[in-house]
Amino acid sequence: MDELTKLSVNDVQITSTFWKRYRDLIAEESVPFQWDMINDKGKMDVTNAAAAGGAADHSGAIENLKIAAGRAKGHHFGYPLQDTDVYKWLQTVAYVLKYHFDQKMKEEADWTVDLIADAQDDDGYLSTYFQIDAPQRKFKRLQQSHELYSMGHYIEAGVAYYESTGNQKALDIAEKMAGCINNHFGPEDGKIHGYDGHPEIELALAKLYETTKNKTYLNLAKYFITERGQDLHFFDRQNKADGIDNDFFPELRTIGDRYYFADKPITEQKDAHGHAVRVLYFCTGLAHVARVEHDDKLLKAANTIWNDIVKKQMYITGNVGQTATGEAFTYDYDLPNDTDYGETCASVSMAFFTKQMLANEFNGQFGDIIEKEIFNGALSGIALDGKHYFYANPLEADPLASKLNPGKKHIALRRSSWFACACCPANITRLIASLDQYLYEIHDDVILSHQFIANDAKFNDGIEIKQTGNFPWDGNIDYAITNPNTSKFTFGIRIPAWSLDNYSIKVNGKEVEPDLKENVLYIPINDKTTAISLELNMNVHVVRANANVSADIMKVAVQRGPIVYCLEGVDNEEPLSRYVLGQKPSFDYNYQSKLLNGVGVVTTDDAYRIADDSDDSLYTFDRPKGVEKAHLEFIPYYAWANRDKKQMTVWLHQSEI
């Protein structure tokens, strides 16, 4: 290879049995189902209206676009951000068509692009609420309006659909939209010196730049990133000018700039706080722009926030955003399990953010978090049927508590088909549909394989990499590398944190001494064919939290490979809070093909159950509780709440004596 800097991936096809089922499910069930929902043809089965903006009897998302396009008459329905349900559906379709082409699906998507083009104003503006019912208020109340947020989601979708299908109109809409935003925002006199209350435009403009190489979009993305938090009175001035009580979301006017992650410039921020998805969308754009611009200050800021989240504010499953009040981060080490919000969108956006961090730096810790999200925190957000979704993803649940404790009413024991604010359904589907983009990263002459998802990948210069294995149930991973032109490059493999204590690697049948840097193993490649075998430690781990996490003191969780496990009342006698794991438990593992679409089940007999009290006293003095031996059966966390409505817990007490 003459120019190793041009090493690039051309095509990745996922062959993993585990993920192929999910990706086919997205194509065959989720996309058609979501199409019906946004066209008001589906039934809204909302199991818990306490999350997601409550219940609604229909979506109105496509109808709003029809009204804005002049194809129908009426008023806008739903939230100002309702358009984004259509855009994320379109983005999911863009990814699906690359691995599961369907002519009817493409025709529906093409029709949708035409509708969006008709709805767009001549100057590029597109936000149907304001076009239909409040044209005089465009860009006048950015704290709450979600205008740039909505347009950012279209730009993402337009770029993805153009790259997948070559639909030029989809890209033209995005560029026209970005042009409108550039005409209204920036440091120049006469423009708005501000930003949206809900970040998203930053990451979207960075993606648009990558596709078009138009520096205007990159400069605008960087402006929004560096402007945020500079003027602490920007939102207040806009609200006053627009009419102080003329709110879209009254509670969001007085919640404070910390909620918007706008209380100080990003280079001065030290921790994640405020609405979790806002923080993470912003940081995704931050890390992307930092990489493209080679901006060390912005990259340092991204690292600061990422490390605070991962080391101090992340649940074992990858869920982030601890409180239902504002769907927000709270403070370091505050990780309550039974009130955890852990919004599906936050887990998805944490994967977005971390992917950009990994593109900046080949470090195994980034691959670990992507793995944690896709196999646990994010995946919990979608039911096994592909047509029901969680908004909140707790680590402990009880049907009675959700029904009778107002502080836990956001915890659902069954996933909903749709929501009044339906941001989560298409967010998880677009992540799964784009999973092929999460398997490899390239720096110069290094190809990094950071996820163990079986695939066939083609790179330039004829290089092909075939990864096989039955991950996450089996830890034996094989790579077959074909290199017909004997190009010289380096192949990197992430060694996950859960296997660093025990793994082995063979190259062409011979064990090699690993060259491990930042938890990535590097192997020089220059032969026409190379066979690599990796064996990971698939023993069951007992996991403990940092001692500063008060909610998990004297508690442990169970993990095997990348999968975090939980107890569910379907398999274990309730209440689950009475179980105590032995000090040195042994576990059995078996794969059950007919359970929950096929899952690995972990069991142990090294457990105890606190026995029933002999009388009905609420409290007793100086009398130890009796215990009895117990058998425990754990299932993967992502698969909970797909059967009866029963208790669930990830963490359980462990005997320390």
Side-chain angles (χ1 to χ4, degrees), residues 292-561:
V292 176
E293 286 280 86
H294 306 288
D295 191 314
D296 291 339
K297 289 183 178 180
L298 293 184
L299 183 56
K300 181 181 179 182
N303 271 292
T304 296
I305 302 304
W306 191 90
N307 277 289
D308 175 69
I309 294 170
V310 170
K311 295 179 179 180
K312 298 178 181 178
Q313 295 202 71
M314 175 177 283
Y315 287 90
I316 187 175
T317 55
N319 297 130
V320 290
Q322 301 98 310
T323 177
T325 303
E327 305 172 325
F329 289 104
T330 55
Y331 58 91
D332 292 349
Y333 302 114
D334 177 42
L335 294 167
N337 297 304
D338 58 346
T339 57
D340 168 27
Y341 198 72
E343 185 183 347
T344 298
C345 280
S347 288
V348 169
S349 52
M350 189 66 197
F352 295 164
F353 178 20
T354 305
K355 184 179 189 297
Q356 290 299 327
M357 296 300 291
L358 183 60
N360 274 302
E361 178 191 352
F362 282 5
N363 191 315
Q365 64 177 340
F366 298 129
D368 285 348
I369 296 303
I370 292 173
E371 179 183 81
K372 185 183 290 288
E373 297 295 1
I374 63 178
F375 282 104
N376 301 286
L379 196 57
S380 170
I382 185 169
L384 296 177
D385 69 357
K387 296 184 287 188
H388 292 81
Y389 312 90
F390 269 148
Y391 215 93
N393 295 270
L395 272 70
E396 182 180 322
D398 182 338
L400 191 62
S402 294
K403 181 179 180 180
L404 300 178
N405 185 336
K408 299 179 182 180
K409 64 181 180 180
H410 61 285
I411 303 298
L413 277 295
R414 183 69 76 245
R415 295 168 181 84
S416 297
S417 64
W418 212 246
F419 308 94
C421 178
C423 54
C424 292
N427 226 353
I428 182 59
T429 59
R430 68 174 176 154
L431 175 64
I432 295 172
S434 64
L435 207 56
D436 53 293
Q437 299 176 25
Y438 285 76
L439 307 189
Y440 296 97
E441 290 291 342
I442 297 173
H443 279 178
D444 298 329
D445 64 343
V446 180
I447 298 174
L448 172 63
S449 170
H450 60 89
Q451 298 302 317
F452 304 113
I453 296 174
N455 69 89
D456 295 339
K458 295 180 179 180
F459 302 78
N460 59 335
D461 209 36
I463 297 169
E464 295 188 20
I465 298 175
K466 180 186 289 289
Q467 181 191 145
T468 55
N470 190 31
F471 198 77
W473 313 123
D474 188 284
N476 295 309
I477 313 296
D478 293 304
Y479 294 92
I481 301 177
T482 304
N483 181 24
N485 297 319
T486 61
S487 303
K488 292 183 179 181
F489 65 96
T490 299
F491 186 57
I493 305 172
R494 174 183 62 93
I495 305 301
W498 47 262
S499 190
L500 282 171
D501 64 329
N502 185 12
Y503 67 94
S504 63
I505 183 83
K506 291 182 180 179
V507 178
N508 295 326
K510 297 180 181 179
E511 287 199 25
V512 297
E513 284 295 323
D515 176 17
L516 197 66
K517 298 175 182 176
E518 303 292 353
N519 296 352
V520 176
L521 189 152
Y522 291 99
I523 301 166
I525 305 294
N526 48 40
D527 294 335
K528 286 192 174 183
T529 60
T530 304
I532 301 171
S533 297
L534 174 67
E535 185 175 344
L536 298 171
N537 176 15
M538 298 299 285
N539 291 331
V540 177
H541 292 287
V542 172
V543 185
R544 293 174 177 81
N546 185 293
N548 289 313
V549 181
S550 60
D552 298 330
I553 291 291
M554 302 290 285
K555 290 185 176 182
V556 294
V558 172
Q559 181 172 335
R560 180 182 182 272

Side-chain angles (χ1 to χ4, degrees), residues 101-112:
F101 185 81
D102 180 276
Q103 185 61 36
K104 181 174 181 289
M105 185 188 300
K106 184 177 183 300
E107 289 172 0
E108 290 169 345
D110 286 342
W111 178 89
T112 302

